[in-house]
Amino acid sequence: MHRQQGYALLELTLAVLIATLLAVWGAGTLANRINDGAAQSSAAWMAMVKNAVQAYIERYDQTLLKASGTTELAHKGYANWSAPSVAELKADGLLSAGFPERGTGGLSAAVVLMRSGSCGAGACRLEALVHSTRAMVRRGHVDEQMIAQWLLAAQGWGGVVSRLRPDHVGGAAFGYSNPPVMGMDALPVGTLAMAVTAGQLAHLDYLRVHDERDPDFRGPASVAGDLKTGGSLSIKNYLTIGAEEAAFTPCSQNGAVARQSFGGLLICRGYSWRQAGGGGGGGFSVNTLYGCRTGSGSSSANPATGACSCPPGFAMTTISDSGSHPPPEGRTVGYLCVE
């Protein structure tokens, strides 16, 4: 009887121990899931602020590049162009009206615009750092676990001021010294950050419609790809064509225009390069002593082929014959190429 009671007590103790372990494990799992959700929410919130800052730079880049005082964009509602607030971005329509000014857990963000290069000489570039206004700490210590979860949720776009590198703020996609600009206090260890980098703003180097640098495109403009227009193209001075082709060779785009190496224009018709204006197959002359040259040494070749021949599809017809002449003239026969 006493032995059975001993077994029952042991079984009860084991059951309580297992239940306790399961409860602790379940509580830890729940806490991790809660932290994961908070990290994902706050990372998404800061990513939206980062996107708004990029839109801010794209909208006002010319003003930002030339700004000297802090109130250059005061008429647009920004007290300091180099530090737009979340509320100001909302008021300017760069964030939705219902966007919360704080993220999960009371996370708030500040923006620092950075200019580098010779802004007065037109070789200036803009970048921006979006950072949390307080460090990620818990009970007086940097919360390394929460920071790791936040960086994972940021999917490579996030950064932090780490304990190992307190003079640096950055991550996989960016990196700046800490503090990022002169006269600013260093960001504390545990500060979260995202950045709008020069690489993300590279498209601003290209001329845009109504660009303040040239509102009506009045000046040289280089286009890396094709230029298409839905209307007519008017050219005041000269048209220079770089494409060089040979007449009666295949072409891939009917209506395309190219030039010949020795002068003249070619038009792609029936997927074959033809002389502009229906110039026909050309003509040439042959001398019995000098071949495809005259007695003075100049070429007598067919401009359409660059040789004493007719293009494919054209027949050679005699149009002149000088008759037999003693040296040094020789006999010259002229031909016309007709379809």
Side-chain angles (χ1 to χ4, degrees):
M1 182 68 179
H2 292 290
R3 182 176 295 178
Q4 291 178 349
Q5 289 178 348
Y7 283 135
L9 181 60
L10 178 61
E11 290 172 354
L12 179 60
T13 302
L14 289 174
V16 172
L17 178 61
I18 292 172
T20 302
L21 291 175
L22 289 175
V24 171
W25 176 80
T29 301
L30 179 60
N32 285 334
R33 289 185 176 179
I34 293 174
N35 287 341
D36 284 341
Q40 292 175 6
S41 178
S42 59
W45 180 84
M46 188 174 285
M48 290 298 294
V49 177
K50 168 186 171 295
N51 292 340
V53 173
Q54 180 169 344
Y56 168 78
I57 295 175
E58 291 172 347
R59 178 178 292 183
Y60 302 116
D61 64 310
Q62 294 305 304
T63 300
L64 299 175
L65 288 171
K66 297 180 292 186
S68 54
T70 60
T71 59
E72 297 287 344
L73 288 175
H75 63 292
K76 296 293 185 179
Y78 296 95
N80 183 347
W81 63 265
S82 66
S85 67
V86 173
E88 290 170 339
L89 294 171
K90 284 178 60 177
D92 200 15
L94 298 176
L95 288 167
S96 64
F99 184 80
E101 295 186 17
R102 289 181 178 271
T104 301
L107 178 69
S108 60
V111 179
V112 180
L113 256 68
M114 299 169 285
R115 295 190 301 190
S116 59
S118 302
C119 293
C124 186
R125 71 177 187 179
L126 288 168
E127 293 184 292
L129 185 70
V130 182
H131 65 86
S132 60
T133 56
R134 58 181 176 83
M136 184 67 69
V137 294
R138 184 180 183 184
R139 296 176 182 173
H141 299 283
V142 175
D143 193 343
E144 301 286 358
Q145 181 181 357
M146 192 63 183
I147 289 175
Q149 290 173 304
W150 186 87
L151 291 174
L152 184 62
Q155 299 182 343
W157 296 107
V160 66
V161 179
S162 69
R163 179 173 51 83
L164 298 178
R165 296 189 64 185
D167 61 342
H168 177 83
V169 53
F174 67 94
Y176 303 106
S177 59
N178 186 24
V181 295
M182 292 182 61
M184 176 181 173
D185 293 336
L187 301 173
V189 173
T191 299
L192 306 175
M194 290 185 179
V196 180
T197 65
Q200 296 167 355
L201 297 169
H203 61 282
L204 296 181
D205 293 336
Y206 293 94
L207 198 62
R208 290 159 289 161
V209 176
H210 300 305
D211 197 308
E212 291 184 12
R213 291 169 292 183
D214 191 356
D216 298 312
F217 286 175
R218 293 179 180 176
S222 298
V223 180
D226 296 336
L227 180 63
K228 297 180 180 180
T229 174
S232 301
L233 180 64
S234 177
I235 301 174
K236 183 177 181 180
N237 293 322
Y238 303 104
L239 175 65
T240 302
I241 300 175
E244 184 178 303
E245 301 290 347
F248 307 103
T249 58
C251 55
S252 60
Q253 184 178 345
N254 282 327
V257 179
R259 64 183 179 89
Q260 300 182 83
S261 60
F262 46 82
L265 290 178
L266 298 174
I267 298 178
C268 183
R269 294 198 299 265
Y271 300 102
S272 177
W273 288 112
R274 303 282 179 151
Q275 289 181 318
F284 61 92
S285 63
V286 178
N287 186 273
T288 55
L289 297 177
Y290 308 109
C292 206
R293 292 188 175 276
T294 65
S296 62
S298 59
S299 175
S300 60
N302 187 347
T305 63
C308 280
S309 62
C310 288
F314 287 80
M316 184 172 64
T317 302
T318 303
I319 59 172
S320 64
D321 190 338
S322 67
S324 298
H325 291 277
E329 290 84 1
R331 182 177 181 176
T332 301
V333 181
Y335 299 95
L336 182 66
C337 300
V338 296
E339 289 186 288

